[in-house]
Amino acid sequence: MEKVVSGIRPTGNLHLGNYFGAVTSFVRMQEEYDCKFFIADWHSLTTHPKPADIRQSVDTILAEYLACGIDPNKATIYVQSDVPQVLELYLYLNMNAYLGELERVTTFKEKARQQPDNVNAGLLTYPTLMASDILIHRALKVPVGKDQEQNMEMARKCARRFNNIYGVDFFPEPQSFHFTAQAVKIPGLDGTGKMGKSQDNCIYLKDDEKTIKKKVMKAVTDCGPQSANSPKPEVIQNLFDIMNVVSSPDTVRFFDDKWNDCSIRYGDLKKQLAEDINNFCAPIRERIEQFSADKENLHRVAMQGAEKARQSAQQTLDEVRQIIGFHK
Ligand code: TRP
């Protein structure tokens, strides 16, 4: 089975946009590939988070992904810091990575601008750590968003360079698997594009009924259709886009007709949308609560995943050490 690896940044809770993007794609991929999904807690240290916050966010991410259908019997789900082999490979890759190429990575330049007082070496070598995450399992496919292309190019460069330096054909070059191409794009509620760009345009999977309703009722709209069968402006199309994934086709058609004959009332549309989002999220929300409440189970899942990931990683590392000229 072809190997797949992807890292999840432990930042905040999953929202509907994540659900219909990465999460759905992971759940589908676990059926077809040998998938390893990990929570990138080492990567998160570039911003110096508090220990309690790390623990909390790792548990949250784990519970939410399990609630969404990542099955630890199908995919390997683990916490990055439970697999020390990654760090040894990171060191070797760093020895072959050049300052200039790392400084040119746009995500580094952006971060350096965002946190000018904390431009640390971890930030600079983020791409080699990511390369190590992938190469440690010799994965061929990496489901990532378009924003990760430069990091993926660095991962391929790391693989190629290692192979060249040692005259081996050891690391395959990992390819990006852009789920964004197939995923349903979920717009935000504030009319500014994608869900997730800012806090208040998001519906989180864990949001309760009241919160969902409040957020949807506040969604940006316009002053209504001015003539029959007119095209919908973006803010209105956005609401229909969300409706398309959570409501029944009949409901969508009902409001579409109302738009077309100019009798639409946004209050009614929003009430229906809030109800359908809630119906969609309620079972997921319940599972999130169940998984979150059972810390022992979360720990067990993480330990089982780590055990499998360490085995796969150690195999690679044994060979790498031999290639480099070290003892196994
Ligand atoms: N850089 C990725 C992001 O920001 C997260 C990540 C870390 C990752 N290591 C990875 C993704 C390895 C894929 C493979 O989303």
Side-chain angles (χ1 to χ4, degrees), residues 144-146 177-185:
V144 280
K146 283 255 176 349
F177 177 88
H178 289 304
F179 50 78
T180 31
Q182 321 172 343
V184 187
K185 214 179 90 215

Side-chain angles (χ1 to χ4, degrees), residues 195-211:
M195 187 173 282
K197 285 251 163 78
S198 74
Q199 286 291 322
D200 5 295
N201 84 355
C202 275
I203 306 264
Y204 293 102
L205 296 179
K206 67 159 184 66
D207 281 348
D208 61 22
E209 188 169 3
K210 233 176 90 192
T211 310

Side-chain angles (χ1 to χ4, degrees), residues 210-227:
K210 233 176 90 192
T211 310
I212 293 174
K213 186 151 187 201
K214 217 169 86 193
K215 288 182 179 176
V216 174
M217 295 317 279
K218 269 192 357 207
V220 177
T221 52
D222 64 357
C223 54
Q226 302 302 305
S227 59

Side-chain angles (χ1 to χ4, degrees), residues 78-294:
Y78 65 98
V79 179
Q80 184 186 33
S81 63
D82 286 334
V83 184
Q85 287 84 351
V86 172
L87 288 188
E88 189 173 334
L89 182 59
Y90 171 53
L91 180 134
Y92 302 144
L93 299 180
N94 275 333
M95 297 298 171
N96 305 335
Y98 296 100
L99 183 59
E101 63 189 348
L102 292 170
E103 281 173 336
R104 279 194 297 276
V105 175
T106 41
T107 38
F108 170 70
K109 289 194 277 192
E110 245 166 62
K111 280 276 151 99
R113 209 175 321 123
Q114 280 167 16
Q115 46 184 76
D117 300 331
N118 182 19
V119 187
N120 57 64
L123 213 49
L124 181 73
T125 57
Y126 186 109
T128 48
L129 181 54
M130 179 161 160
S132 180
D133 293 327
I134 299 164
L135 300 182
I136 198 72
H137 300 298
R138 279 175 279 179
L140 296 176
K141 280 200 168 67
V142 184
V144 280
K146 283 255 176 349
D147 61 325
Q148 296 297 307
E149 218 18 73
Q150 237 183 342
N151 286 336
M152 286 304 298
E153 195 43 61
M154 272 303 291
R156 286 188 283 271
K157 234 189 240 180
C158 287
R160 266 197 309 270
R161 205 171 283 161
F162 183 93
N163 290 346
N164 282 337
I165 289 174
Y166 296 102
V168 291
D169 185 16
F170 182 67
F171 286 121
E173 288 183 29
Q175 303 304 317
S176 324
F177 177 88
H178 289 304
F179 50 78
T180 31
Q182 321 172 343
V184 187
K185 214 179 90 215
I186 302 297
L189 294 172
D190 55 1
T192 63
K194 238 170 88 172
M195 187 173 282
K197 285 251 163 78
S198 74
Q199 286 291 322
D200 5 295
N201 84 355
C202 275
I203 306 264
Y204 293 102
L205 296 179
K206 67 159 184 66
D207 281 348
D208 61 22
E209 188 169 3
K210 233 176 90 192
T211 310
I212 293 174
K213 186 151 187 201
K214 217 169 86 193
K215 288 182 179 176
V216 174
M217 295 317 279
K218 269 192 357 207
V220 177
T221 52
D222 64 357
C223 54
Q226 302 302 305
S227 59
N229 302 313
S230 53
K232 299 186 187 85
E234 195 182 349
V235 281
I236 304 305
Q237 186 59 48
N238 283 352
L239 298 180
F240 274 88
D241 283 350
I242 303 178
M243 200 168 231
N244 262 320
V245 293
V246 295
S247 305
S248 73
D250 284 348
T251 305
V252 180
R253 208 168 313 121
F254 176 83
F255 284 101
D256 209 33
D257 289 344
K258 296 241 166 219
W259 166 269
N260 282 329
D261 68 14
C262 300
S263 65
I264 194 159
R265 284 165 39 177
Y266 291 144
D268 294 346
L269 171 103
K270 287 176 169 181
K271 241 169 92 188
Q272 182 70 48
L273 183 59
E275 194 182 314
D276 293 345
I277 292 176
N278 182 59
N279 285 337
F280 180 86
C281 291
I284 304 174
R285 181 166 70 225
E286 228 166 84
R287 287 197 298 275
I288 292 176
E289 279 160 17
Q290 284 163 4
F291 277 113
S292 298
D294 192 348

